[in-house]
Amino acid sequence: QVQFVESGGGLVQPGGSLRLSCAASGFTLENYAIGWFRQAPGKEREGVSCISSRGGSIYYVDSVKGRFTISRDNAKNTVYLQMNNLKPEDTAVYYCASSRIYLVSHFLSSLGYNYWGQGTQVTVSS
């Protein structure tokens, strides 16, 4: 019954915006660090952004700095990824996942991220 559900993906033109949501059920999200990952066809999965359990620590991969904003509302058991100024290279399936520990090194290797959602497709194209 532990589950993540990602939503908010879709088709958008370059320069557009999307807001992804990651809603958790079956566990209390506030006890976990949350990471957003993405995978494009033929590419390895990469970490995009992560946030600590209380939101005090945040990391962004260089390619999305200044464009993406991660946030969380623990009362709603939900984590968000606001994506602005989207580029074609952002096209991928986006996943959220949880970890008991916030460490950038863990995030970059997906180490300790135990629960994953099914993903939501983001396509940036003219």
Side-chain angles (χ1 to χ4, degrees), residues 4-78:
F4 278 124
V5 177
E6 299 98 335
S7 62
L11 257 65
V12 65
Q13 293 184 343
S17 298
L18 288 172
R19 186 195 189 204
L20 305 185
S21 297
C22 173
S25 63
F27 65 99
T28 302
L29 195 63
E30 68 180 1
N31 296 323
Y32 297 88
I34 301 297
W36 281 100
F37 302 82
R38 66 187 180 187
Q39 187 167 22
K43 302 290 185 179
E44 293 289 328
R45 185 176 63 209
E46 66 171 346
V48 177
S49 181
C50 59
I51 186 168
S52 60
S53 60
R54 297 291 191 268
S57 297
I58 291 173
Y59 169 83
Y60 300 99
V61 69
D62 286 346
S63 61
V64 308
K65 286 181 179 177
R67 301 189 298 119
F68 290 12
T69 302
I70 192 170
S71 62
R72 65 191 301 157
D73 187 342
N74 287 337
K76 296 181 178 179
N77 232 27
T78 302

